[in-house]
Amino acid sequence: MLVSPTTGTAISSARFGILMAMLFMPKSALWGRAFFAFFFAIAGTRIFVWFIQPIQFKDAIRPPAS
């Protein structure tokens, strides 16, 4: 089963960012936690894409070209 980097990775990374903000900056404002969530979502997605790029998929399903 493949997970798109825009869905699974971004949500999990954003949750991790909020957790890190709550652990290291417990009295931060909502915008501070949102910044951490945004940063971690972008970074997590980039790392996931970096890991899956070398993988060669044999049964790739492609939509027909219009």
Side-chain angles (χ1 to χ4, degrees), residues 51-65:
F51 274 123
I52 66 168
Q53 274 189 339
I55 298 172
Q56 297 291 326
F57 299 107
K58 294 182 181 180
D59 295 334
I61 300 172
R62 299 180 188 199

Side-chain angles (χ1 to χ4, degrees), residues 15-36:
R15 287 181 190 164
F16 183 65
I18 291 172
L19 177 66
M20 290 294 109
M22 291 175 74
L23 286 175
F24 293 111
M25 301 180 349
K27 295 184 180 185
S28 66
L30 178 62
W31 63 267
R33 290 189 299 264
F35 172 76
F36 263 74

Side-chain angles (χ1 to χ4, degrees), residues 29-52:
L30 178 62
W31 63 267
R33 290 189 299 264
F35 172 76
F36 263 74
F38 175 75
F39 174 75
F40 274 83
I42 297 297
T45 302
R46 286 185 180 253
I47 291 169
F48 181 73
V49 169
W50 180 67
F51 274 123
I52 66 168

